[in-house]
Each structure stands twice: as C-alpha cells, then as structure tokens.
Amino acid sequence: MGIGLALSGGALRGFAHIGVLKYLEEKNIPVQAITGTSAGAVIGAYYAAGITPEEMEEIALGLNRSDFLRNIRRTSLPRRGLVNTAFIGRIMERDLGQISFSDLKIHLEVVAVDIIENCLVYLNEGDLISAVTASCAIPGVFSPVKRNGQTLVDGGVLQNVPVPRLRELNIKPIVAVDLTQHSPLLKEPRNIFEMFYKSTYLMTRDRERKHASNADYWVTPELKEIGSWDLKKTPETIQLGYQAAREALQEFRLKKPFWEKILPF
C-alpha cells in the first residue's frame, strides 16, 4: 500500500521534488508507484533506486555549472538540438551505476513522446538511464534519444503532469506535484533555455492543470522567482517543495485496506 506520485517536469526547478519527498518521508507516507516527466523522471528514478531525499539533496547541492558545461563539451555537436542529453546520463551513471527498471525498489513509469509516431510512451522496462534522458530531451534544446527503435523526446510535450498513467494503473490516492502552475520568472527570458521553457509552459499550462486536477492531492510549489536553470537557488527550491507538500498534505490520511478494518488484529 502507498500513494501514487506524479512528478512533473520543470528543468532545475525539479529539485523541488526533493523537498516533497522529504516531507513524505517525515510523515511516513509510503510511495507505491511513481510516474515522472523530464526532471520528475530524474528525481523519480533516484528515489525508486533507493536514494534518500537527503542523499539527493547532497548530490544536488554539489552540482555547479561546470558539471553541466564540462559534460556538454564532451558531447558531439547534435544536428537536431543545441546539445544532447548524454551528460545527464553520465551524471546518473556516476550516482546509480548501470541500472535497469528491474533493479528499482519502487515501480516507476517514465513519460516520453515518440516524435515519429506522434504519441505518448510510458517506459517501464529495460535500461533506466536511456529512458530518463529521453524524457528530458526538450525539443529544439536537446536532441531526440534513440531507444529500442523509437525516437523519443521530452514527455512534457504531451503530458507534463503524468497523473493519467497512475489512474490507468488503478493506484490511489494520487499526489501530483506540478511545477508549472506558478509562472516562472515574470521577467524577460535571459537565454535560449529560458525562452524554450517559458514558451512550453505557456502552451501547456491549461492542459496540465486539467491533468493535475484529477489527482487526489495537488502540490504546487511557489517557484515563480526560481529560474528554470538556476543552480544558485537549489536550497530554496528544495525548501519550497517541502513547504508546498506540507500545505497540500496536512490533512492527508492513507486509507487502510478493508481487511484491517474488519479483523481484530
């Protein structure tokens, strides 16, 4: 028994998911299954692999721009995006090793989009890291990822808050963590990454609100002052995730199975 946890994308604002997980553990709320898109797939993969929120926080606080730039320089110049997602895979392999879905401690579904077949894809078997990097491949910024004959891009193109899959799996209750409901930086985008992110946010905001509203609990961290690629505010981002979870889940009660209600022991 446990909750279904839907983690949205949000670039580096995804570190807010760590704060949400810290709150869940503090309140002893177990997680039965996770669906994750983009940054949500990254955090979901770490948690499903057994990495604690405290360990994730330590990893996140240890990152700096040079980690990203150094890894990006090691990739070949892609033709269908500014960079590719191989550097994300290298960071994950450093922390998790070579890992597959079958190694995970919690059921995980990674959301991506098949850009050839124009459809949503839920990845739940085989190599984990290639699935997660595919889910992070924002079109135009990152090159698509080839995986098992499919050409995959960021799941947020069609489903940034992956609540529907948890409904299909009949997992209840569902907690959706949506990083898109508070407009990111009410300022002019500072670079091409922020331009892509904010444009996508505007295109998908209403659709994702509908998806998230189908959850039993909707956690929406106040991240409007956090840039989508702002590493300097990682501690604040994590704390805002924790605060949002505390506010949204303060009356949370996990229903007991019917047999626990009728049996005297």
Side-chain angles (χ1 to χ4, degrees):
M1 290 293 293
I3 65 169
L5 186 62
L7 302 178
S8 83
L12 295 183
R13 290 152 53 101
F15 289 138
H17 293 314
I18 299 175
V20 174
L21 290 168
K22 289 179 71 174
Y23 180 82
L24 293 178
E25 293 219 333
E26 180 181 294
K27 297 301 179 181
N28 296 313
I29 299 174
V31 177
Q32 180 181 355
I34 302 171
T35 53
T37 298
S38 198
V42 176
I43 300 300
Y46 274 71
Y47 192 63
I51 306 300
T52 68
E54 289 73 25
E55 290 169 333
M56 280 189 269
E57 182 173 21
E58 185 176 349
I59 291 169
L61 294 176
L63 294 173
N64 54 59
R65 285 186 178 275
S66 65
D67 290 308
F68 293 92
L69 295 175
R70 179 172 60 250
N71 280 288
I72 288 173
R73 291 193 192 104
R74 291 174 58 189
T75 67
S76 58
L77 183 64
R79 292 179 294 174
R80 292 182 290 176
L82 297 175
V83 293
N84 64 43
T85 56
F87 75 97
I88 299 174
R90 277 194 282 271
I91 293 172
M92 291 187 66
E93 187 170 344
R94 178 199 68 190
D95 298 331
L96 304 179
Q98 295 182 340
I99 186 171
S100 67
F101 280 90
S102 61
D103 297 316
L104 300 178
K105 297 174 173 58
I106 299 172
H107 182 76
L108 174 70
E109 303 257 344
V110 171
V111 184
V113 169
D114 186 323
I115 202 66
I116 305 300
E117 297 295 330
N118 305 314
C119 64
L120 203 63
V121 178
Y122 295 111
L123 306 173
N124 55 24
E125 59 183 9
D127 179 66
L128 175 66
I129 292 177
S130 63
V132 173
T133 55
S135 186
C136 293
I138 303 170
V141 177
F142 298 110
S143 293
V145 172
K146 290 280 190 179
R147 186 181 190 272
N148 296 339
Q150 295 177 303
T151 303
L152 304 174
V153 299
D154 193 322
V157 170
L158 292 179
Q159 193 177 103
N160 195 46
V161 188
V163 170
R165 181 58 172 169
L166 291 171
R167 288 290 183 204
E168 292 174 11
L169 296 172
N170 198 33
I171 295 174
K172 299 177 182 178
I174 296 173
V175 175
V177 185
D178 184 359
L179 308 181
T180 67
Q181 287 309 304
H182 300 289
S183 179
L185 287 177
L186 299 175
K187 302 175 184 177
E188 186 173 340
R190 298 171 295 181
N191 52 55
I192 193 169
F193 297 103
E194 287 189 358
M195 180 67 76
F196 272 107
Y197 180 75
K198 190 159 188 176
S199 298
T200 302
Y201 158 77
L202 291 172
M203 289 188 290
T204 63
R205 176 180 53 188
D206 293 338
R207 180 192 70 201
E208 299 307 330
R209 182 181 289 119
K210 182 178 180 180
H211 284 158
S213 66
N214 288 323
D216 299 290
Y217 299 90
W218 189 14
V219 181
T220 58
E222 285 272 3
L223 301 174
K224 60 186 177 182
E225 294 301 323
I226 307 294
S228 52
W229 303 96
D230 195 346
L231 270 174
K232 294 180 180 178
K233 293 187 177 180
T234 295
E236 181 181 348
T237 304
I238 294 172
Q239 183 59 28
L240 288 169
Y242 178 90
Q243 291 173 1
R246 182 176 60 194
E247 292 168 7
L249 301 173
Q250 58 183 335
E251 296 183 3
F252 177 87
R253 294 291 184 276
L254 191 61
K255 292 183 179 179
K256 294 183 178 180
F258 74 92
W259 59 83
E260 288 190 13
K261 298 178 181 179
I262 61 176
L263 294 177
F265 50 85

